[in-house]
Amino acid sequence: MGPSPVLNLSGAPPAGPRIRRVTAQLAVSALLAVLVGVALPGAAVAADQAPGVPGAAANWSGGDKDGFGTARGTRSKVWYTLNDGTLSEVFFPRIDTPATRDTQLVVSDGATFADRETDGTDHQVRSLDDRSLVWRQVNTARSGAYRITKTYVTDPARAAVLLDVRFESLTGKPYDVYVLHDAGLGLNANDDTGRSGHGGLLATDDQAASAVLASSGFTKTSSGYADRSDGWSDLRDDFRMDWSYQAGARGNVVQTGRTRLTGLPGNQHLTLALGFAAAPGAAASTAAAALARGFADARRAYSAGWHAYLDSLRPAPASAKRWQTVYDLSVMVLAAHEDKTFRGGFVAAPGRPWAWANQLQHLPVYHAVWSRDLYQIATAMLAAGDRAAARRALDYLWSVQQRPDGSFPQNSRLDGEPVFGGLQLDEVAFPIVLAWQLGRTGPGDWDHVRRAAEFLLREGPDTPQERWENIGGWSPATIAAEIAGLVCAADIAKRNGQADAAERYLRTADTWQQRLEQWTLTRNGPLSPEPYYLRITANGDANSGAQIQISDGGPLIDQRRVVDPSFLEIVRLGVKSATDPNVRSSLRVVDEQLRYSTPNGLFWHRASFDGYGEQRDGAQWQPVDPGSGLTIGRGWPLLTGERGEYALAADAAAAAQESLDTMARSADDQTGLLAEQVWDHQPPADGDPRFRPGENTFSATPLAWSHAQFVRLAQSIDAGHPVETPRVVACRYATTLC
């Protein structure tokens, strides 16, 4: 007896006369329809090659996501994001590798209009379960003609995204409803091919493949090239689907399927499945199996996985009881940032903010791993009670990212391949601190710690790049991380019988701690008659007027005019006391220069003259000439959280709670997601609801670091001190926590 036709979906049709091929295809289609309730077209007819190859150059969906989800467990290696009423990037087979750009519906009356959801509807999105990453979008036509409700999960058993779709005509008239799927496999969305097959839409780039199937089938399908021969180009011409192409040559492929939805009774509901695999046939099998399971069952299993995960953690701290939804969401969002192949590899964000999308087409950008962001995530997971995740993060740092010389790349893809190619010495130090916090002090970890510490001795204390990645020199934030790393390394060295190494590390750490003020604290700066810490010095002399170039359109300027709240790393990492008079005088300068008030609370710009943000009119960030001032960096919620940790160290618990409350209030009103930046007190357009002070900008959302800071601050408030502070460092220099 031969193999089951269902199991043979990915294979070629049997050899023989054309009638035998058609009969076999119909048999498979019929059996699949019986098993999964999918109504499929009859025998495929060879489609014409789509004209206009390769199509318009691909770009990517914005980085300000409205939803983000994945199943718990490692079987379903797929992540989904939502943006502007659509399913935006889906990531497969790793969270640093997009597999789609956009999937949305097009609605037409066949005669007078055709609407894409992005342009023709008003969007609402909300979570359906405060303890699970299940999101629902409701898109209502601006014309009042129809409403679309879509609910999203991923199938925990396989690499498939499921969309429960309900379409309603609000006029009583029938409408044609189409699926418009912008395939974007891999980091290059300009090298895909696409065709109809297995009752749906198939795409491949030779490394991965996707399949889009509908529970009620498609009545017509086509694959073309963006803005040349794709379905939207077809529909916007005469409001009807006239073309039925295949895209056999590589290009920017957009696929279209006409559904059986009309908005009339009996035709309002369907399930879409996006399946992914290494080859098109296998992707179709994955999508078909997800449809066979059914949306309701997949959602139950999906939600149960997240419920069980939250139940395994510490309860939300008392400080966050008012913000239970934001707290639980933050923990889940952090967990969802972890890859399922390279365990412990957590990316910074599931998207590409602003124009990074178009200018760095072949780079993952924010969906890459920074050891600094990973440290922030791991310490938050540790605080929340997921010690296993923090341990996996350290394992990843040691086994994947660390180089033979002990250093770490500025950032990398999940397999360790460097992306930007820079070097930041705080990113070499933080893994050492994490190892100490986890109690990972055995011989195996010591070898990694030793290599990182020796690298710091050779290369520090000045750094090629500091934490904001666009300037080098003597940074108080970076030097604080280096000192903390060396003190932690010394303690681990002692535990391994390496007294000589421990003595060298401590001697260097003490010297750097003693010279920190000389390098980074100006006593003659123009911003205050009192001493204050600078963002960075170019020459290690904080009293000199050396010129530094501020990136992203900033000026060439006296380094003594540039301050940054990040100097508080010296307190949070235990290098200086919270009551140090120079710390307090620096806070006054930072507040005067960088703090602003909003209805949600107080926020801080990340540095003087910062241009890493939207343009003055709210348009997306773009590279600009030095001194142009075209772009503006707004406030970072994570800096509000760091100020809260400082307040705890300074025994100001009420101020710390207010910082947590401010972060929670800044979360997106509909989704609860925390962004990289929020609008400042001078919005681009007064009264425009897109630019409300204290609300998310179009920056990376969710940003893992923001959510990590919220979780860690909440746990710290209940603990009565910053839980991240390494006791061994604070006891040596700040005489706290001892």
Side-chain angles (χ1 to χ4, degrees):
M1 184 174 173
S4 162
V6 171
L7 297 178
N8 197 37
L9 275 174
S10 60
R18 184 178 185 277
I19 187 65
R20 289 184 57 201
R21 292 198 299 272
V22 171
T23 300
Q25 290 169 340
L26 289 173
V28 171
S29 299
L31 182 56
L32 185 59
V34 170
L35 290 178
V36 303
V38 179
L40 301 176
V45 177
D48 292 335
Q49 167 63 32
V53 63
N59 57 17
W60 290 99
S61 178
D64 55 325
K65 303 306 181 187
D66 303 322
F68 170 51
T70 188
R72 287 295 296 165
T74 59
R75 294 178 65 188
S76 179
K77 299 183 191 301
V78 64
W79 296 255
Y80 74 87
T81 65
L82 307 180
N83 190 32
D84 289 338
T86 76
L87 173 65
S88 50
E89 292 103 327
V90 173
F91 295 88
F92 168 84
R94 307 181 334 201
I95 194 174
D96 68 346
T97 307
T100 73
R101 183 196 179 280
D102 177 90
T103 305
Q104 62 177 299
L105 301 183
V106 177
V107 180
S108 174
D109 66 354
T112 65
F113 79 89
D115 288 347
R116 289 185 297 190
E117 287 183 278
T118 46
D119 308 318
T121 68
D122 293 321
H123 323 307
Q124 292 182 320
V125 61
R126 64 185 179 94
S127 169
L128 293 188
D129 181 350
D130 291 343
R131 291 169 52 81
S132 179
L133 298 176
V134 179
W135 302 95
R136 172 169 290 172
Q137 292 172 326
V138 179
N139 296 332
T140 304
R142 291 171 183 158
S143 66
Y146 57 86
R147 180 185 299 115
I148 300 166
T149 302
K150 299 178 294 185
T151 308
Y152 298 84
V153 298
T154 66
D155 186 340
R158 54 189 57 85
V161 180
L162 287 169
L163 291 70
D164 178 81
V165 181
R166 180 179 176 83
F167 179 75
E168 302 170 81
S169 169
L170 302 180
T171 63
K173 299 177 181 178
Y175 297 104
D176 294 322
V177 182
Y178 304 86
V179 173
L180 189 67
H181 175 68
D182 191 342
L185 295 157
L187 293 176
N188 180 5
N190 295 301
D191 67 346
D192 299 334
T193 63
R195 62 183 175 86
S196 302
H198 300 296
L201 299 164
L202 308 179
T204 184
D205 70 349
D206 289 340
Q207 295 185 356
S210 65
V212 182
L213 299 182
S215 57
S216 55
F218 295 115
T219 61
K220 191 172 186 177
T221 54
S222 183
S223 297
Y225 300 102
D227 292 337
R228 303 293 187 272
S229 52
D230 64 303
W232 176 240
S233 299
D234 184 5
L235 288 164
R236 71 186 176 192
D237 179 32
D238 62 359
F239 316 120
R240 297 176 182 273
M241 184 176 178
D242 303 309
W243 303 337
S244 185
Y245 291 133
Q246 66 174 349
R250 297 179 186 277
N252 180 9
V253 172
V254 179
Q255 302 179 291
T256 311
R258 186 172 62 201
T259 74
R260 298 180 186 276
L261 294 173
T262 65
L264 297 179
N267 294 287
Q268 292 186 337
H269 182 267
L270 64 77
T271 301
L272 288 176
L274 278 65
F276 301 89
S285 295
T286 298
L291 287 177
R293 178 178 194 167
F295 183 88
D297 186 65
R299 178 180 169 180
R300 280 191 293 270
Y302 178 96
S303 293
W306 283 112
H307 295 170
Y309 176 68
L310 289 177
D311 289 342
S312 73
L313 305 178
R314 295 191 182 102
S319 63
K321 283 299 183 184
R322 180 184 175 189
W323 312 110
Q324 177 88 40
T325 300
V326 178
Y327 181 87
D328 287 344
L329 176 63
S330 293
V331 175
M332 291 188 291
V333 163
L334 291 177
H337 276 76
E338 184 179 11
D339 192 57
K340 302 183 183 186
T341 300
F342 290 91
R343 301 297 286 155
F346 291 75
V347 299
R352 303 169 181 246
W354 305 315
W356 287 111
N358 304 324
Q359 301 217 353
L360 299 175
Q361 186 64 235
H362 304 293
L363 295 178
V365 194
Y366 275 36
H367 41 281
V369 184
W370 278 259
S371 71
R372 175 180 46 256
D373 293 60
L374 185 50
Y375 168 83
Q376 305 292 341
I377 295 166
T379 54
M381 301 300 271
L382 183 60
D386 192 347
R387 190 177 190 85
R391 289 181 61 86
R392 290 195 301 272
L394 184 62
D395 289 340
Y396 175 86
L397 288 165
W398 290 156
S399 64
V400 178
Q401 276 204 327
Q402 191 176 36
R403 294 161 166 160
D405 65 1
S407 68
F408 293 79
Q410 176 182 356
N411 58 359
S412 78
R413 299 203 65 199
L414 284 159
D415 59 7
E417 176 188 356
V419 178
F420 288 171
L423 174 66
Q424 299 164 14
L425 293 187
D426 64 333
E427 294 196 300
V428 181
F430 279 132
I432 303 174
V433 179
L434 179 60
W436 187 90
Q437 290 167 329
L438 286 168
R440 294 275 294 269
T441 61
D445 289 290
W446 158 240
D447 180 62
H448 292 285
V449 167
R450 177 189 59 79
R451 284 191 278 146
E454 295 294 337
F455 188 88
L456 292 176
L457 291 185
R458 291 193 304 271
E459 302 296 330
D462 57 311
T463 180
Q465 294 178 344
E466 40 80 272
R467 83 193 298 212
W468 301 130
E469 308 203 292
N470 53 27
I471 197 167
W474 283 257
S475 154
T478 298
I479 295 171
E482 293 175 282
I483 293 169
L486 289 174
V487 173
C488 289
D491 189 60
I492 296 172
K494 291 176 184 177
R495 295 171 187 266
N496 285 271
Q498 301 296 319
D500 290 345
E503 193 278 330
R504 285 191 298 114
Y505 300 158
L506 288 176
R507 184 171 63 247
T508 300
D510 290 348
T511 299
W512 291 357
Q513 195 268 354
Q514 292 159 10
R515 298 185 65 184
L516 178 64
E517 293 182 357
Q518 172 192 330
W519 292 328
T520 65
L521 181 84
T522 185
R523 299 181 184 276
N524 64 353
L527 303 182
S528 172
E530 298 179 297
Y532 58 92
Y533 282 98
L534 304 179
R535 172 186 175 181
I536 201 163
T537 63
N539 54 5
D541 181 359
N543 290 323
S544 77
Q547 303 280 296
I548 57 175
Q549 178 64 60
I550 307 299
S551 297
D552 303 313
L556 179 68
I557 195 166
D558 185 331
Q559 63 190 7
R560 296 171 300 172
R561 292 186 175 275
V562 183
V563 293
D564 172 6
S566 299
F567 83 92
L568 285 176
E569 293 277 84
I570 66 178
V571 175
R572 192 166 54 256
L573 293 172
V575 175
K576 292 280 187 179
S577 167
T579 60
D580 183 285
N582 292 329
V583 169
R584 289 183 166 175
S585 61
S586 298
L587 285 174
R588 288 190 286 271
V589 174
V590 163
D591 288 351
E592 180 181 328
Q593 297 292 316
L594 303 177
R595 186 177 68 180
Y596 62 92
S597 178
T598 75
N600 285 333
L602 297 175
F603 296 93
W604 284 261
H605 296 271
R606 68 174 185 170
S608 308
F609 310 104
D610 184 30
Y612 188 59
E614 282 84 2
Q615 298 177 49
R616 291 185 178 275
D617 63 359
Q620 71 173 359
W621 174 89
Q622 64 179 358
V624 293
D625 294 331
S628 68
L630 177 63
T631 55
I632 302 174
R634 273 81 181 188
W636 291 54
L638 68 87
L639 293 175
T640 297
E642 290 184 349
R643 187 59 170 263
E645 288 185 304
Y646 167 78
L648 277 179
D651 295 325
Q657 182 67 55
E658 177 56 28
S659 292
L660 186 76
D661 295 346
T662 294
M663 289 192 74
R665 287 190 292 263
S666 79
D668 184 89
D669 293 339
Q670 293 189 66
T671 68
L673 296 174
L674 292 170
E676 180 181 59
Q677 297 184 34
V678 296
W679 296 110
D680 60 17
H681 56 303
Q682 295 178 318
D686 290 338
D688 189 322
R690 297 176 301 164
F691 305 129
R692 291 177 295 168
E695 302 288 340
N696 294 352
T697 71
F698 308 130
S699 57
T701 310
L703 184 71
W705 189 348
S706 296
H707 284 281
Q709 181 62 67
F710 182 82
V711 169
R712 201 175 62 209
L713 176 58
Q715 291 288 348
S716 295
I717 291 171
D718 278 32
H721 62 86
V723 296
E724 176 202 1
T725 303
R727 184 182 300 267
V728 69
V729 182
C731 287
R732 188 172 187 86
Y733 300 121
T735 64
T736 59
L737 304 179
C738 299

